[in-house]
Amino acid sequence: GYKKYRGQIFEFIGKIYLKKGEYDTAKKYFYQGIQTNLKQNNLPFAANIYVFMADLLRETNELDSSLVYGKKSLKIYQNVGELPGILDASRSLSTSYKAQNEIDSAFFYQELAFTANDSLNDPRKKNKFFNLGFDEQLRLNELEKEKIEKENTMRTYTLLAGIAVVL
């Protein structure tokens, strides 16, 4: 019952410390919230904390780490198809890239945020946005299948070569 909300409690406490400027304490609670949500398989809640962690790390000038958390968040939100989360994660990534003076990447994530925001406000575009994500997921699944097939073929050839050597 209540265990599934523990991660959110850690998130709320972390946000309080973040607003107070107590970054180390906020970071501690965000880590606890992430771990708790991942254990409970509450991926969207974990993704939400990843965005806050990315923002915190950007504020403390840990830009590379900020990008790591922002990308983790975006990946989860894209997998679960949560447009408001995609919007938040994309904005966070855009701001982090802008802080690193990587304008091309900042623009890419700003465009993604714009598209997500536009899709939130127009239901017809929402389906198009999700279809793009679905098509990408299908492509990745196909690549994974091809990789497994190649590995199986190599195992078969290795086994046949081993048998030929023994005979």
Short mmCIF file of all heavy atoms in Angstrom, two decimals, residues 23-73:
data_model
loop_
_atom_site.label_atom_id
_atom_site.label_comp_id
_atom_site.label_asym_id
_atom_site.label_seq_id
_atom_site.Cartn_x
_atom_site.Cartn_y
_atom_site.Cartn_z
N TYR A 23 21.74 22.11 -0.87
CA TYR A 23 21.85 21.19 -2.00
C TYR A 23 22.29 19.78 -1.60
O TYR A 23 21.79 18.81 -2.15
CB TYR A 23 22.81 21.76 -3.05
CG TYR A 23 22.33 23.07 -3.62
CD1 TYR A 23 23.11 24.22 -3.54
CD2 TYR A 23 21.08 23.17 -4.22
CE1 TYR A 23 22.66 25.41 -4.06
CE2 TYR A 23 20.62 24.36 -4.73
CZ TYR A 23 21.42 25.49 -4.66
OH TYR A 23 20.97 26.67 -5.16
N ASP A 24 23.22 19.66 -0.68
CA ASP A 24 23.67 18.32 -0.29
C ASP A 24 22.55 17.51 0.35
O ASP A 24 22.39 16.32 0.06
CB ASP A 24 24.87 18.41 0.67
CG ASP A 24 26.14 18.88 -0.04
OD1 ASP A 24 26.22 18.71 -1.27
OD2 ASP A 24 27.03 19.41 0.64
N THR A 25 21.78 18.16 1.19
CA THR A 25 20.66 17.46 1.83
C THR A 25 19.59 17.13 0.81
O THR A 25 19.03 16.03 0.81
CB THR A 25 20.07 18.32 2.98
OG1 THR A 25 21.14 18.68 3.87
CG2 THR A 25 19.02 17.56 3.75
N ALA A 26 19.31 18.07 -0.09
CA ALA A 26 18.33 17.82 -1.15
C ALA A 26 18.76 16.64 -2.01
O ALA A 26 17.96 15.75 -2.32
CB ALA A 26 18.16 19.06 -2.02
N LYS A 27 20.05 16.61 -2.35
CA LYS A 27 20.60 15.53 -3.17
C LYS A 27 20.41 14.19 -2.47
O LYS A 27 20.03 13.20 -3.10
CB LYS A 27 22.09 15.80 -3.41
CG LYS A 27 22.65 15.12 -4.62
CD LYS A 27 24.14 15.36 -4.78
CE LYS A 27 24.48 16.76 -5.17
NZ LYS A 27 25.92 16.90 -5.51
N LYS A 28 20.65 14.16 -1.17
CA LYS A 28 20.49 12.92 -0.39
C LYS A 28 19.06 12.39 -0.50
O LYS A 28 18.83 11.22 -0.75
CB LYS A 28 20.87 13.17 1.07
CG LYS A 28 20.75 11.95 1.96
CD LYS A 28 21.07 12.28 3.41
CE LYS A 28 19.77 12.63 4.08
NZ LYS A 28 19.85 12.83 5.51
N TYR A 29 18.09 13.29 -0.32
CA TYR A 29 16.68 12.86 -0.38
C TYR A 29 16.27 12.48 -1.81
O TYR A 29 15.49 11.55 -2.01
CB TYR A 29 15.76 13.93 0.19
CG TYR A 29 15.76 13.91 1.70
CD1 TYR A 29 16.44 14.87 2.42
CD2 TYR A 29 15.09 12.91 2.40
CE1 TYR A 29 16.47 14.84 3.81
CE2 TYR A 29 15.11 12.86 3.78
CZ TYR A 29 15.80 13.83 4.48
OH TYR A 29 15.81 13.78 5.85
N PHE A 30 16.80 13.20 -2.80
CA PHE A 30 16.50 12.83 -4.18
C PHE A 30 17.04 11.44 -4.49
O PHE A 30 16.36 10.63 -5.13
CB PHE A 30 17.07 13.86 -5.16
CG PHE A 30 16.31 15.16 -5.20
CD1 PHE A 30 16.95 16.33 -5.58
CD2 PHE A 30 14.96 15.22 -4.88
CE1 PHE A 30 16.27 17.53 -5.63
CE2 PHE A 30 14.26 16.42 -4.93
CZ PHE A 30 14.93 17.58 -5.30
N TYR A 31 18.27 11.14 -4.05
CA TYR A 31 18.82 9.80 -4.26
C TYR A 31 17.93 8.73 -3.61
O TYR A 31 17.64 7.70 -4.22
CB TYR A 31 20.23 9.67 -3.66
CG TYR A 31 21.33 10.27 -4.48
CD1 TYR A 31 22.31 11.07 -3.88
CD2 TYR A 31 21.45 10.03 -5.85
CE1 TYR A 31 23.34 11.62 -4.61
CE2 TYR A 31 22.48 10.58 -6.59
CZ TYR A 31 23.42 11.38 -5.97
OH TYR A 31 24.43 11.92 -6.71
N GLN A 32 17.50 8.99 -2.40
CA GLN A 32 16.63 8.03 -1.71
C GLN A 32 15.31 7.85 -2.47
O GLN A 32 14.80 6.74 -2.59
CB GLN A 32 16.34 8.48 -0.28
CG GLN A 32 17.52 8.30 0.65
CD GLN A 32 17.19 8.77 2.06
OE1 GLN A 32 16.72 9.89 2.26
NE2 GLN A 32 17.43 7.90 3.03
N GLY A 33 14.76 8.95 -2.95
CA GLY A 33 13.52 8.89 -3.71
C GLY A 33 13.68 8.11 -5.00
O GLY A 33 12.82 7.30 -5.36
N ILE A 34 14.80 8.32 -5.69
CA ILE A 34 15.05 7.60 -6.94
C ILE A 34 15.15 6.10 -6.65
O ILE A 34 14.49 5.29 -7.31
CB ILE A 34 16.34 8.11 -7.61
CG1 ILE A 34 16.12 9.52 -8.18
CG2 ILE A 34 16.80 7.15 -8.71
CD1 ILE A 34 17.39 10.23 -8.60
N GLN A 35 15.96 5.74 -5.66
CA GLN A 35 16.14 4.32 -5.34
C GLN A 35 14.83 3.67 -4.92
O GLN A 35 14.51 2.56 -5.36
CB GLN A 35 17.20 4.15 -4.23
CG GLN A 35 18.59 4.56 -4.65
CD GLN A 35 19.03 3.90 -5.95
OE1 GLN A 35 18.85 2.69 -6.14
NE2 GLN A 35 19.59 4.67 -6.86
N THR A 36 14.06 4.37 -4.11
CA THR A 36 12.78 3.83 -3.65
C THR A 36 11.82 3.63 -4.82
O THR A 36 11.17 2.59 -4.94
CB THR A 36 12.16 4.75 -2.59
OG1 THR A 36 13.07 4.89 -1.50
CG2 THR A 36 10.84 4.21 -2.07
N ASN A 37 11.74 4.63 -5.68
CA ASN A 37 10.83 4.52 -6.84
C ASN A 37 11.27 3.43 -7.80
O ASN A 37 10.43 2.73 -8.37
CB ASN A 37 10.72 5.87 -7.55
CG ASN A 37 9.80 6.82 -6.83
OD1 ASN A 37 8.78 6.42 -6.29
ND2 ASN A 37 10.16 8.09 -6.80
N LEU A 38 12.57 3.29 -8.00
CA LEU A 38 13.03 2.23 -8.90
C LEU A 38 12.72 0.85 -8.31
O LEU A 38 12.31 -0.05 -9.04
CB LEU A 38 14.53 2.37 -9.17
CG LEU A 38 14.93 3.58 -10.02
CD1 LEU A 38 16.44 3.67 -10.15
CD2 LEU A 38 14.27 3.55 -11.39
N LYS A 39 12.90 0.69 -6.99
CA LYS A 39 12.57 -0.58 -6.34
C LYS A 39 11.09 -0.91 -6.49
O LYS A 39 10.72 -2.06 -6.65
CB LYS A 39 12.91 -0.53 -4.85
CG LYS A 39 14.28 -0.96 -4.50
CD LYS A 39 14.44 -1.01 -2.99
CE LYS A 39 15.89 -0.81 -2.62
NZ LYS A 39 16.07 -0.63 -1.19
N GLN A 40 10.25 0.09 -6.39
CA GLN A 40 8.80 -0.09 -6.49
C GLN A 40 8.31 -0.08 -7.93
O GLN A 40 7.12 -0.18 -8.19
CB GLN A 40 8.07 1.02 -5.70
CG GLN A 40 8.33 0.99 -4.22
CD GLN A 40 7.75 -0.23 -3.56
OE1 GLN A 40 6.67 -0.70 -3.94
NE2 GLN A 40 8.45 -0.79 -2.60
N ASN A 41 9.24 0.08 -8.87
CA ASN A 41 8.93 0.14 -10.30
C ASN A 41 8.01 1.33 -10.63
O ASN A 41 7.16 1.24 -11.52
CB ASN A 41 8.33 -1.18 -10.80
CG ASN A 41 8.51 -1.34 -12.30
OD1 ASN A 41 9.47 -0.83 -12.87
ND2 ASN A 41 7.58 -2.03 -12.93
N ASN A 42 8.18 2.41 -9.90
CA ASN A 42 7.45 3.66 -10.17
C ASN A 42 8.33 4.53 -11.06
O ASN A 42 8.88 5.54 -10.63
CB ASN A 42 7.14 4.40 -8.86
CG ASN A 42 6.11 3.71 -8.02
OD1 ASN A 42 5.27 2.99 -8.55
ND2 ASN A 42 6.16 3.91 -6.72
N LEU A 43 8.45 4.12 -12.31
CA LEU A 43 9.38 4.79 -13.21
C LEU A 43 9.05 6.26 -13.46
O LEU A 43 9.95 7.10 -13.44
CB LEU A 43 9.49 4.02 -14.53
CG LEU A 43 10.06 2.61 -14.38
CD1 LEU A 43 10.13 1.92 -15.75
CD2 LEU A 43 11.41 2.62 -13.72
N PRO A 44 7.79 6.63 -13.69
CA PRO A 44 7.52 8.06 -13.90
C PRO A 44 7.88 8.92 -12.68
O PRO A 44 8.36 10.05 -12.83
CB PRO A 44 6.01 8.11 -14.17
CG PRO A 44 5.68 6.76 -14.70
CD PRO A 44 6.60 5.82 -13.95
N PHE A 45 7.70 8.37 -11.47
CA PHE A 45 8.08 9.12 -10.27
C PHE A 45 9.60 9.26 -10.18
O PHE A 45 10.12 10.30 -9.80
CB PHE A 45 7.53 8.48 -9.00
CG PHE A 45 6.03 8.53 -8.90
CD1 PHE A 45 5.31 7.39 -8.57
CD2 PHE A 45 5.33 9.70 -9.11
CE1 PHE A 45 3.92 7.42 -8.47
CE2 PHE A 45 3.94 9.75 -9.02
CZ PHE A 45 3.24 8.60 -8.70
N ALA A 46 10.31 8.19 -10.54
CA ALA A 46 11.77 8.25 -10.56
C ALA A 46 12.22 9.28 -11.60
O ALA A 46 13.12 10.09 -11.33
CB ALA A 46 12.37 6.89 -10.87
N ALA A 47 11.59 9.28 -12.75
CA ALA A 47 11.93 10.23 -13.81
C ALA A 47 11.71 11.67 -13.35
O ALA A 47 12.50 12.56 -13.68
CB ALA A 47 11.12 9.95 -15.07
N ASN A 48 10.66 11.89 -12.60
CA ASN A 48 10.39 13.23 -12.08
C ASN A 48 11.53 13.70 -11.17
O ASN A 48 11.98 14.85 -11.26
CB ASN A 48 9.06 13.24 -11.34
CG ASN A 48 8.54 14.63 -11.12
OD1 ASN A 48 8.60 15.47 -12.01
ND2 ASN A 48 8.03 14.89 -9.93
N ILE A 49 12.01 12.80 -10.32
CA ILE A 49 13.12 13.17 -9.43
C ILE A 49 14.40 13.36 -10.24
O ILE A 49 15.21 14.23 -9.92
CB ILE A 49 13.31 12.12 -8.32
CG1 ILE A 49 12.04 12.01 -7.47
CG2 ILE A 49 14.49 12.50 -7.42
CD1 ILE A 49 12.07 10.91 -6.43
N TYR A 50 14.58 12.57 -11.31
CA TYR A 50 15.74 12.78 -12.17
C TYR A 50 15.78 14.21 -12.71
O TYR A 50 16.85 14.82 -12.80
CB TYR A 50 15.73 11.80 -13.35
CG TYR A 50 16.17 10.39 -13.05
CD1 TYR A 50 15.56 9.32 -13.70
CD2 TYR A 50 17.20 10.10 -12.16
CE1 TYR A 50 15.96 8.02 -13.46
CE2 TYR A 50 17.60 8.80 -11.92
CZ TYR A 50 16.98 7.76 -12.57
OH TYR A 50 17.38 6.47 -12.34
N VAL A 51 14.61 14.76 -13.05
CA VAL A 51 14.57 16.14 -13.56
C VAL A 51 15.01 17.11 -12.45
O VAL A 51 15.82 18.00 -12.69
CB VAL A 51 13.17 16.52 -14.08
CG1 VAL A 51 13.09 18.01 -14.40
CG2 VAL A 51 12.81 15.70 -15.30
N PHE A 52 14.49 16.91 -11.24
CA PHE A 52 14.90 17.78 -10.13
C PHE A 52 16.39 17.64 -9.85
O PHE A 52 17.07 18.63 -9.57
CB PHE A 52 14.08 17.50 -8.87
CG PHE A 52 12.69 18.05 -8.92
CD1 PHE A 52 11.61 17.21 -9.05
CD2 PHE A 52 12.48 19.42 -8.86
CE1 PHE A 52 10.32 17.72 -9.11
CE2 PHE A 52 11.20 19.94 -8.93
CZ PHE A 52 10.12 19.09 -9.06
N MET A 53 16.89 16.41 -9.92
CA MET A 53 18.31 16.18 -9.68
C MET A 53 19.14 16.87 -10.78
O MET A 53 20.17 17.48 -10.49
CB MET A 53 18.61 14.68 -9.65
CG MET A 53 20.05 14.38 -9.33
SD MET A 53 20.55 14.88 -7.67
CE MET A 53 20.16 13.38 -6.80
N ALA A 54 18.69 16.79 -12.01
CA ALA A 54 19.39 17.46 -13.11
C ALA A 54 19.44 18.97 -12.88
O ALA A 54 20.49 19.59 -13.07
CB ALA A 54 18.71 17.14 -14.45
N ASP A 55 18.33 19.53 -12.44
CA ASP A 55 18.29 20.97 -12.18
C ASP A 55 19.20 21.35 -11.01
O ASP A 55 19.92 22.35 -11.07
CB ASP A 55 16.85 21.42 -11.91
CG ASP A 55 15.96 21.29 -13.14
OD1 ASP A 55 16.50 21.14 -14.26
OD2 ASP A 55 14.72 21.31 -12.98
N LEU A 56 19.18 20.54 -9.96
CA LEU A 56 20.05 20.78 -8.81
C LEU A 56 21.52 20.74 -9.24
O LEU A 56 22.31 21.62 -8.88
CB LEU A 56 19.79 19.74 -7.72
CG LEU A 56 20.58 19.83 -6.43
CD1 LEU A 56 19.78 19.21 -5.30
CD2 LEU A 56 21.92 19.15 -6.50
N LEU A 57 21.89 19.73 -9.99
CA LEU A 57 23.29 19.58 -10.42
C LEU A 57 23.71 20.71 -11.35
O LEU A 57 24.87 21.15 -11.32
CB LEU A 57 23.48 18.21 -11.08
CG LEU A 57 23.35 17.03 -10.12
CD1 LEU A 57 23.24 15.72 -10.88
CD2 LEU A 57 24.52 16.99 -9.14
N ARG A 58 22.78 21.21 -12.14
CA ARG A 58 23.10 22.36 -12.99
C ARG A 58 23.35 23.59 -12.13
O ARG A 58 24.29 24.35 -12.37
CB ARG A 58 21.97 22.62 -13.99
CG ARG A 58 22.31 23.71 -15.00
CD ARG A 58 21.23 23.95 -16.03
NE ARG A 58 19.92 24.18 -15.45
CZ ARG A 58 18.91 23.31 -15.47
NH1 ARG A 58 19.04 22.15 -16.05
NH2 ARG A 58 17.75 23.61 -14.92
N GLU A 59 22.54 23.76 -11.08
CA GLU A 59 22.73 24.90 -10.18
C GLU A 59 24.06 24.84 -9.45
O GLU A 59 24.63 25.87 -9.12
CB GLU A 59 21.58 24.97 -9.16
CG GLU A 59 20.32 25.59 -9.70
CD GLU A 59 19.30 25.85 -8.62
OE1 GLU A 59 19.67 26.34 -7.54
OE2 GLU A 59 18.12 25.57 -8.88
N THR A 60 24.54 23.64 -9.18
CA THR A 60 25.83 23.48 -8.49
C THR A 60 26.98 23.31 -9.48
O THR A 60 28.07 22.90 -9.11
CB THR A 60 25.79 22.29 -7.50
OG1 THR A 60 25.46 21.10 -8.21
CG2 THR A 60 24.78 22.54 -6.39
N ASN A 61 26.71 23.61 -10.74
CA ASN A 61 27.71 23.61 -11.81
C ASN A 61 28.30 22.23 -12.08
O ASN A 61 29.45 22.11 -12.50
CB ASN A 61 28.80 24.64 -11.54
CG ASN A 61 29.39 25.17 -12.82
OD1 ASN A 61 28.71 25.24 -13.84
ND2 ASN A 61 30.66 25.54 -12.78
N GLU A 62 27.52 21.19 -11.85
CA GLU A 62 27.92 19.82 -12.20
C GLU A 62 27.18 19.46 -13.48
O GLU A 62 26.26 18.64 -13.49
CB GLU A 62 27.58 18.86 -11.06
CG GLU A 62 28.29 19.18 -9.76
CD GLU A 62 27.79 18.34 -8.61
OE1 GLU A 62 28.00 17.10 -8.64
OE2 GLU A 62 27.17 18.91 -7.69
N LEU A 63 27.59 20.11 -14.57
CA LEU A 63 26.82 20.08 -15.81
C LEU A 63 26.79 18.70 -16.46
O LEU A 63 25.76 18.29 -16.99
CB LEU A 63 27.34 21.13 -16.77
CG LEU A 63 27.21 22.57 -16.27
CD1 LEU A 63 27.85 23.55 -17.24
CD2 LEU A 63 25.75 22.93 -16.03
N ASP A 64 27.91 17.98 -16.44
CA ASP A 64 27.91 16.65 -17.05
C ASP A 64 26.94 15.72 -16.33
O ASP A 64 26.18 14.98 -16.96
CB ASP A 64 29.31 16.04 -17.04
CG ASP A 64 30.25 16.74 -18.02
OD1 ASP A 64 29.74 17.36 -18.98
OD2 ASP A 64 31.47 16.66 -17.84
N SER A 65 26.95 15.76 -15.00
CA SER A 65 26.02 14.93 -14.22
C SER A 65 24.58 15.37 -14.46
O SER A 65 23.67 14.54 -14.52
CB SER A 65 26.36 15.01 -12.74
OG SER A 65 27.64 14.47 -12.51
N SER A 66 24.39 16.66 -14.61
CA SER A 66 23.05 17.18 -14.89
C SER A 66 22.51 16.59 -16.18
O SER A 66 21.34 16.19 -16.26
CB SER A 66 23.10 18.71 -15.00
OG SER A 66 21.86 19.22 -15.40
N LEU A 67 23.35 16.49 -17.18
CA LEU A 67 22.93 15.92 -18.47
C LEU A 67 22.60 14.44 -18.33
O LEU A 67 21.64 13.95 -18.94
CB LEU A 67 24.02 16.12 -19.52
CG LEU A 67 24.26 17.57 -19.95
CD1 LEU A 67 25.50 17.66 -20.84
CD2 LEU A 67 23.05 18.13 -20.66
N VAL A 68 23.37 13.73 -17.52
CA VAL A 68 23.11 12.29 -17.33
C VAL A 68 21.72 12.09 -16.74
O VAL A 68 20.93 11.27 -17.23
CB VAL A 68 24.19 11.65 -16.43
CG1 VAL A 68 23.78 10.25 -15.99
CG2 VAL A 68 25.53 11.62 -17.14
N TYR A 69 21.40 12.85 -15.69
CA TYR A 69 20.08 12.70 -15.06
C TYR A 69 18.96 13.17 -15.98
O TYR A 69 17.89 12.57 -16.02
CB TYR A 69 20.04 13.43 -13.71
CG TYR A 69 20.72 12.65 -12.63
CD1 TYR A 69 22.03 12.90 -12.28
CD2 TYR A 69 20.05 11.63 -11.96
CE1 TYR A 69 22.67 12.17 -11.29
CE2 TYR A 69 20.67 10.89 -10.97
CZ TYR A 69 21.98 11.16 -10.64
OH TYR A 69 22.59 10.43 -9.67
N GLY A 70 19.20 14.24 -16.71
CA GLY A 70 18.19 14.72 -17.65
C GLY A 70 17.88 13.69 -18.73
O GLY A 70 16.72 13.46 -19.08
N LYS A 71 18.92 13.03 -19.23
CA LYS A 71 18.72 12.01 -20.27
C LYS A 71 18.01 10.78 -19.72
O LYS A 71 17.17 10.18 -20.39
CB LYS A 71 20.05 11.63 -20.90
CG LYS A 71 20.61 12.72 -21.80
CD LYS A 71 21.96 12.35 -22.36
CE LYS A 71 22.51 13.48 -23.22
NZ LYS A 71 23.86 13.17 -23.72
N LYS A 72 18.34 10.40 -18.48
CA LYS A 72 17.64 9.27 -17.86
C LYS A 72 16.15 9.57 -17.75
O LYS A 72 15.31 8.73 -18.03
CB LYS A 72 18.21 8.98 -16.46
CG LYS A 72 19.54 8.29 -16.45
CD LYS A 72 19.97 8.03 -15.01
CE LYS A 72 21.30 7.31 -14.94
NZ LYS A 72 21.65 6.94 -13.57
N SER A 73 15.86 10.78 -17.32
CA SER A 73 14.47 11.20 -17.17
C SER A 73 13.74 11.16 -18.51
O SER A 73 12.66 10.59 -18.62
CB SER A 73 14.42 12.60 -16.58
OG SER A 73 13.10 13.05 -16.52
#
